[in-house]
């Protein structure tokens, strides 16, 4: 059979509410044309993020019932620890309330003024946590990542030659760690090959620098490797993931992505001295090292999710269904970041709406129009989010895991194509008010006519 179906059936449902175009227009005006300021109940299909929005399985809900809520030494922690050790092989597993808490602790103990951290591309919280500890976050994406239309198999890779040059010029002593983000979220959800992780590891080890993974979407990355990197075609997703982790000396992880959890994360390391410092800081801000700011039931959900996510049927469906959305809109002439990524499709709004300059936010204009037309929420990743550092004007459609069915995605395709058919009518926006930082969350706009 060629048809790929959702490898689950639905036992518990949440109603979705249609509202009228007039209501949506009123809601947009009230929210200052910022979709973060629209209530979830007024959204029909929510593609704002894939983080913390997964549907949990019966296995996860059942495990949550046995959550051990002891303050210290909870059974649930040991179940999570065993699951993480089995997958990653790391010596120290430190739970945190979400990914950025792991980042904050890691960069607090390793960074400081004068230090710098290379990454294929820092996610925004990763960059912010490096910089808030006085260090410099350096992005080293591979050259083909710059061309949204190039169709390379591993556009998430790090530029290894650029890493060598950076270490030469800055000196290894100033680089506490090298990080690779899998998949590369800010770079279009593109995967990183095992060959690239090996090459980065070889360079880093030669200079005595540890390698860390920002492993949020490790399973999606493993599936791309299985599909696209010849030596691994017969491996299981778990074997590939294990190999990825064993090349690293530690990781940060947001369980809100590839662990199907609604909250949680962890920090891992093989460095005993660092682990002590990290646990001291954890106690100060997150909690005791056997719960790290999470309930025992959360630890259970993560432990089960880490196993479920490596199921080949799930990963095949996940990657193919994201691609389905991308191919259907790109096939009808909507420019997307090619090839489709793992967790999201990124429309190149700059190309789609060439009549709207970057300073009039084409990505945001498209996000507003998609909501106005069909009640779909997406997010701008361009000049609004990054100011004059933006390299592209993108609109991200992130797909929550196990939440929407194919007919929901067909609805999204239809809506995008209808909007595309009259794209010349779409107008840009002007900012009316904005906060001093992270303005995309709360800025208010005026539509231009
Ligand atoms: C690549 C990457 N790193 C780190 C994070 C931060 O994780 P959290 O939202 O759990 O703090 C995210 C979240 O979207 C991410 O995509």
């Amino acid at each position: 059979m060629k048809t790929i179906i959702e490898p689950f059936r639905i036992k518990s449902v949440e109603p979705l509410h249609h509202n009228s175009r007039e209501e949506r227009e009123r809601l947009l005006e009230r929210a200052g044309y910022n979709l973060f300021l629209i209530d979830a109940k007024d959204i029909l299909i929510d593609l704002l993020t894939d983080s913390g929005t997964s549907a949990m399985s019966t296995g996860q809900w059942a495990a949550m019932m046995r959550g051990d809520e002891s303050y210290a030494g909870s059974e649930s922690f040991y179940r999570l620890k065993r699951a993480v050790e089995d997958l990653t092989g790391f010596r120290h597993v430190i739970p945190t309330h979400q990914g950025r808490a792991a980042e904050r602790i890691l960069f607090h103990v390793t960074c400081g003024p004068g230090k710098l951290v290379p990454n294929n591309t820092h996610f925004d919280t990763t960059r912010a946590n490096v910089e808030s500890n006085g260090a410099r976050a350096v992005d080293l994406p591979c050259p083909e990542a710059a061309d949204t239309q190039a169709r390379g198999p591993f556009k998430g890779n790090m530029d290894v030659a650029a890493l060598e040059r950076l270490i030469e010029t800055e000196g290894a002593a100033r680089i506490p760690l090298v990080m690779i983000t899998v998949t590369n979220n800010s770079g279009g959800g593109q995967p990183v090959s095992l060959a690239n992780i090996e090459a980065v590891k070889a360079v880093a080890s030669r200079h005595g620098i540890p390698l860390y993974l920002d492993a949020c979407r490790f399973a999606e990355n493993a599936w791309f490797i299985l599909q696209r990197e010849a030596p691994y075609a017969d491996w299981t997703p778990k074997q590939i993931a294990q190999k990825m982790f064993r090349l690293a000396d530690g990781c940060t992880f947001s369980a809100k992505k590839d662990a199907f959890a609604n909250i949680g994360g962890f920090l891992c390391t093989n460095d005993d001295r660092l682990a002590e410092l990290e646990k001291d800081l954890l106690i100060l801000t997150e909690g005791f090292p056997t719960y790290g700011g999470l309930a025992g039931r959360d630890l259970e959900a993560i432990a089960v999710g880490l196993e479920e996510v490596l199921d080949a049927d799930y990963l095949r469906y996940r990657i193919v269904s994201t691609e389905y959305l991308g191919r259907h809109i790109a096939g009808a002439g909507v420019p997307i970041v090619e090839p489709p990524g793992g967790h999201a499709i990124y429309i190149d709004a700059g190309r789609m709406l060439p009549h709207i300059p970057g300073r009039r936010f084409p990505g945001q204009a498209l996000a507003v129009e998609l909501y106005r037309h069909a009640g779909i929420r997406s997010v701008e990743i361009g000049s609004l989010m990054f100011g004059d550092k933006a390299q592209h004007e993108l609109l991200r459609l992130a797909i929550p895991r196990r939440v929407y069915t194919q007919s929901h995605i067909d609805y999204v395709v239809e809506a995008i194509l209808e909007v595309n058919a009259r794209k010349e009518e779409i107008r840009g926006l002007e900012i009316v008010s904005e906060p001093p930082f992270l303005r995309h969350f709360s800025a208010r706009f005026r539509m231009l006519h």
Side-chain angles (χ1 to χ4, degrees):
M1 292 289 295
K2 284 205 295 294
T3 307
I4 291 175
I5 59 169
E6 288 86 358
F8 47 80
R9 56 186 180 180
I10 298 163
K11 180 181 234 167
S12 176
V13 298
E14 268 184 292
L16 293 175
H17 298 291
H18 284 274
N19 48 16
S20 67
R21 190 183 168 91
E22 291 67 36
E23 276 174 90
R24 292 196 291 275
E25 190 60 66
R26 261 199 312 278
L27 290 163
L28 277 169
E29 260 175 58
R30 206 174 65 192
Y33 300 94
N34 186 334
L35 301 185
F36 281 101
L37 304 181
I38 293 189
D39 291 342
K41 70 173 173 37
D42 298 318
I43 306 286
L44 185 62
I45 308 273
D46 203 346
L47 306 184
L48 184 67
T49 179
D50 66 321
S51 179
T53 52
S54 298
M56 290 209 294
S57 66
T58 48
Q60 284 178 295
W61 283 109
M64 284 177 81
M65 290 305 294
R66 67 172 182 203
D68 174 354
E69 305 302 344
S70 305
Y71 188 96
S74 124
E75 272 302 301
S76 302
F77 169 70
Y78 289 108
R79 271 193 282 275
L80 173 67
K81 188 168 185 286
R82 281 194 295 274
V84 177
E85 282 169 352
D86 176 44
L87 175 65
T88 68
F90 293 131
R91 264 216 300 285
H92 301 279
V93 180
I94 301 171
T96 59
H97 82 270
Q98 64 183 84
R100 69 198 68 183
E103 293 167 357
R104 194 186 61 80
I105 291 171
L106 173 65
F107 297 127
H108 187 87
V109 299
T110 57
C111 286
K115 304 265 189 206
L116 45 111
V117 177
N119 197 320
N120 46 348
T121 312
H122 287 84
F123 180 67
D124 58 8
T125 60
T126 325
R127 170 175 290 279
N129 275 297
V130 169
E131 291 175 348
S132 77
N133 282 293
R136 189 150 62 89
V138 183
D139 288 343
L140 301 176
C142 65
E144 59 268 35
D147 178 1
T148 61
Q149 303 308 294
R151 294 201 178 195
F154 290 106
K155 284 173 76 182
N157 281 353
M158 178 176 272
D159 184 337
V160 184
L163 176 66
E164 299 233 40
R165 283 196 300 277
L166 186 80
I167 299 174
E168 287 282 281
T169 48
E170 303 287 347
R174 295 180 58 199
I175 305 179
L177 58 103
V178 175
M179 198 162 211
I180 298 182
T181 305
V182 292
T183 57
N184 188 345
N185 184 6
S186 308
Q190 301 291 326
V192 178
S193 68
L194 260 171
N196 188 253
I197 301 176
E198 281 173 323
V200 170
K201 169 71 175 176
V203 172
S205 309
R206 198 157 6 98
H207 292 91
I209 305 172
L211 171 65
Y212 274 67
L213 294 183
D214 175 345
C216 297
R217 299 178 181 84
F218 73 95
E220 291 173 6
N221 201 78
W223 186 258
F224 280 116
I225 290 172
L226 189 151
Q227 294 290 304
R228 297 180 184 176
E229 202 170 353
Y232 305 104
D234 297 329
W235 289 38
T236 64
K238 182 169 179 178
Q239 288 169 325
I240 295 173
Q242 285 172 324
K243 179 161 172 134
M244 285 162 50
F245 282 113
R246 278 164 179 72
L247 284 165
D249 302 285
C251 75
T252 55
F253 182 68
S254 166
K256 298 171 74 175
K257 285 84 172 175
D258 271 356
F260 303 120
N262 301 124
I263 195 69
F266 52 78
L267 168 61
C268 293
T269 179
N270 283 335
D271 183 324
D272 298 341
R273 189 191 60 88
L274 219 52
E276 282 317 305
L277 296 174
E278 289 167 350
K279 284 182 201 167
D280 289 346
L281 196 55
L282 187 86
I283 291 175
L284 197 63
T285 58
E286 292 278 300
F288 194 69
T290 59
Y291 75 86
L294 294 168
R297 54 183 168 272
D298 299 324
L299 303 172
E300 296 280 354
I302 299 168
V304 174
L306 285 175
E307 282 189 21
E308 287 182 358
V309 76
L310 288 163
D311 176 64
D313 283 342
Y314 162 73
L315 284 170
R316 182 178 301 108
Y317 139 81
R318 169 73 174 161
I319 301 302
V320 167
S321 58
T322 303
E323 188 182 0
Y324 177 92
L325 170 58
R327 286 279 157 260
H328 277 76
I329 60 173
V334 177
I336 63 167
V337 174
E338 292 282 4
H343 67 293
I345 293 298
Y346 296 67
I347 297 179
D348 190 337
R351 268 174 194 265
M352 178 175 166
L353 307 172
H355 58 287
I356 305 181
R359 66 195 160 80
R360 296 296 179 225
F361 311 117
Q364 183 67 9
L366 185 56
V368 165
E369 189 52 35
L370 209 50
Y371 176 71
R372 181 186 282 126
H373 183 67
I376 297 165
R377 176 154 65 177
S378 51
V379 67
E380 191 261 14
I381 302 202
S383 292
L384 174 60
M385 191 177 273
F386 297 123
D388 53 15
K389 291 203 194 78
Q391 297 196 340
H392 302 288
E393 302 296 340
L394 305 178
L395 179 77
R396 187 183 77 178
L397 304 151
I399 308 186
R401 294 169 182 77
R402 307 192 293 206
V403 170
Y404 293 117
T405 63
Q406 180 162 348
S407 61
H408 291 120
I409 298 300
D410 285 337
Y411 174 90
V412 174
V413 169
E414 186 181 343
I416 294 171
L417 297 188
E418 286 181 2
V419 167
N420 188 50
R422 48 178 185 74
K423 60 186 176 184
E424 290 79 15
E425 294 164 21
I426 300 176
R427 294 286 164 262
L429 300 133
E430 187 176 62
I431 291 186
V432 182
S433 65
E434 61 180 303
F437 49 85
L438 294 175
R439 65 178 179 176
H440 51 288
F441 290 121
S442 50
R444 298 181 73 85
F445 303 85
R446 190 169 70 80
M447 292 296 310
L448 298 169
H449 294 289

